[in-house]
Structure formats: structure tokens, C-alpha cells
Amino acid sequence: MYPMKLAPAFKDYLWGGTRLRDDFGKKCDYDKVAESWELSCHKDGLSVIANGEFSGKTLAELVNENRSVLGTNCKRFEQFPILIKLIDAKDNLSVQVHPDNEYAQRVEGEYGKTEMWYIVDCDPGAELLYGFKKEVSKEEFAERIKNNTLLEITQSVPVKKGDVFFIKAGTLHAIGKGILIAEIQQNSNTTYRIYDYGRVGADGKPRQLHIDKAVEVTNLCPAQPYPVTEPFTENGAEKRLLSKCEYFTVYSVETDNEASFDADGTSFHHILVLEGNTVLKCGDTSLELKKGDSVFVPAGCGKYSLSGAFKGVFTRIDQ
Ligand code: ZN
């Protein structure tokens, strides 16, 4: 096995911008490039391997044929555990909520969705919607959806580059306009849309809302800010733990020289380059990576290095 550059799937949702193409080098001819699915074994948008022996295969095929690439920590997951995206919100995303595993597996036949957002870039004054201002009752929540006053009780949070939000399943949320994020989430595409600013989709009709299900799964208490952790230096890189939960562990990683990593047998690694250029070397494999590139390093590949000044997001699965 060897480190694999991944070609993403793209989504042209109506709120998307053009920055993933213009600033992040994504080759996609959609008018709007709302999302690139950087690490995905989800049927709605599969990552494709772009180098070496398995070039042209989907990552999902590789994983099916060779589950050991995931590492021993992934044995507890029946399916590929995570999905990583870049999201360019030129306009507001709908207000939405995702169910937890128990509900999603019972009702939708797939995983629930806990997710985390890393603010890669944003316009001055950009805000996102994160839970309620104060605890509300189910009745009030349902009533305010009906009479269009929901936004009076939701919490708007100003954001800046480098901020982190942990969106536990059940947390009401919406990415606001002018925000570009890296999203690490459970491998799921189940979203209950509650409020869509009265917009219509490409077909001229309002997009479907899922109000009954949303009221069932939404946590009615205010969401707590995620604790900010201190940066530390390790093996040539400055790192900061962004998020750690049962589904994923995510660090920001930055070096101006060379950083080394070890993909042991416990977990695969995923690196998403957000600034600069770097060369990944692992055994016979050498990969040039630039801003916007994604690489999957199978568990058991062993030691590898990244040389050249870059910043990125590093994800693995812990025990
Ligand atoms: Zn979401």
C-alpha cells in the first residue's frame, strides 16, 4: 500500500460559490462549486484514487477489497466511518439538523451525523447559526418554524479563520454566507432541512423541508462552544487538536520545513492541504501536493514525511 491522492466528487448546490475552483485549484466545470467531497466512500459522491497501482479505482472499492487499509481502530465501524468536505458558502445554507446514530439507523438506514467545522476562510462579519439562544420547548420550536420566527431564537456566532465548531448530532446549525470550511463528519448524507429562507431550487420549486423529523431529533438546549486547545510541536510540525470524538480525531498541522508522521496499523491518515505546497515521501512514493489537495494514507504505510511550507488538516480514527 502507498499514499493515495484523491480526486473529489463535486456538488453544485444553489448556495455555492466559485472559490473551490478559483482559489483551491479544483477542476470542475459546474457554475457553482458548493462542495468537494475530499474523502468519501459515500455512494452520493465517491472519492477516486488518482495515482499509482489503484489509480482510477474508487476509495470505496479499495476499502471493500482490503479493509486493513482502515486500521484496527476502524474495526468497530461496519461502514467507512467518516466523510471530509470542503464547503464554499457564497450564500446562507438552510437551517438544518442531523439525527444521531440510533435514530438515523432506525429511520434512514445509515449513520447519523456528528460533524465538525474548521473555518478555512471567511468574509469580514461572517456569521453562522449554532443552536438556540436559550432552551426552548418542542412546542415553541415547532410553532416558530410554522410562523417563520425561528431565527429570533437561534444563536448567531461571528467567525474568524481558524475557529472550530463541533456540531453534535441534534444541534441546529447553518453555515452562513461568506464562509469556507473544512468539514469532518460521520459518513452520512441525512439532513433534515427546517428553514430555507424561502428559496427555490434549480427546478424553480422550494427545496423539501423535513420539519416533523427535525423536531423529533433536535436538542432544544443551547449548544456549548467547543474548548480551544493549545498548539504543540511534534515531529517538525506545529499541531493543534481541533476535535476528538468517537468518530474522528482532527488536528491542524503546519510546518515551514519538514514534518514526519507514522501511519501505523491503528488508523489511516487523511491530509487536506489548505495553504502552501508540500511533497509527501513514503518509501518509493513521492507526491506533490498543493492547496486543496487531499491524500489518503492507508494504515500500515509506516513513516512518511511532508516537506515544504504548508498548512493543513490531519484526520485519523482513534480508539
Ligand atoms: Zn450539517
Side-chain angles (χ1 to χ4, degrees), residues 13-129:
Y13 304 135
L14 58 101
W15 42 260
T18 57
R19 292 194 60 193
L20 296 181
R21 179 172 52 231
D22 300 344
D23 302 344
F24 286 78
K26 298 296 180 190
K27 293 193 169 46
C28 173
D29 52 15
Y30 293 159
D31 282 352
K32 294 175 179 176
V33 191
E35 298 185 346
S36 62
W37 290 22
E38 295 293 328
L39 175 71
S40 169
C41 288
H42 196 286
K43 61 176 176 20
D44 295 345
L46 293 162
S47 297
V48 177
I49 297 161
N51 63 296
E53 185 189 342
F54 302 117
S55 189
K57 233 183 217 287
T58 64
L59 182 62
E61 286 169 329
L62 177 81
V63 169
N64 282 339
E65 290 160 16
N66 212 323
R67 248 196 103 85
S68 67
V69 298
L70 300 184
T72 50
N73 290 346
C74 290
K75 281 195 176 141
R76 65 182 190 271
F77 300 106
E78 215 171 285
Q79 296 158 41
F80 191 75
I82 58 170
L83 175 53
I84 297 181
K85 302 174 180 178
L86 280 169
I87 301 179
D88 174 22
K90 182 158 168 50
D91 202 350
N92 291 321
L93 271 75
S94 59
V95 180
Q96 54 184 251
V97 66
H98 310 296
D100 65 12
N101 272 351
E102 188 281 316
Y103 187 96
Q105 283 175 328
R106 180 162 50 83
V107 177
E108 310 290 350
E110 72 166 357
Y111 282 143
K113 205 204 276 195
T114 283
E115 61 193 35
M116 69 83 71
W117 297 339
Y118 178 69
I119 310 293
V120 177
D121 203 1
C122 60
D123 292 346
E127 289 185 335
L128 52 79
L129 185 157

Side-chain angles (χ1 to χ4, degrees), residues 285-297:
T285 302
S286 175
L287 278 178
E288 284 183 29
L289 303 169
K290 56 180 182 8
K291 181 174 172 177
D293 282 345
S294 255
V295 58
F296 173 82
V297 185

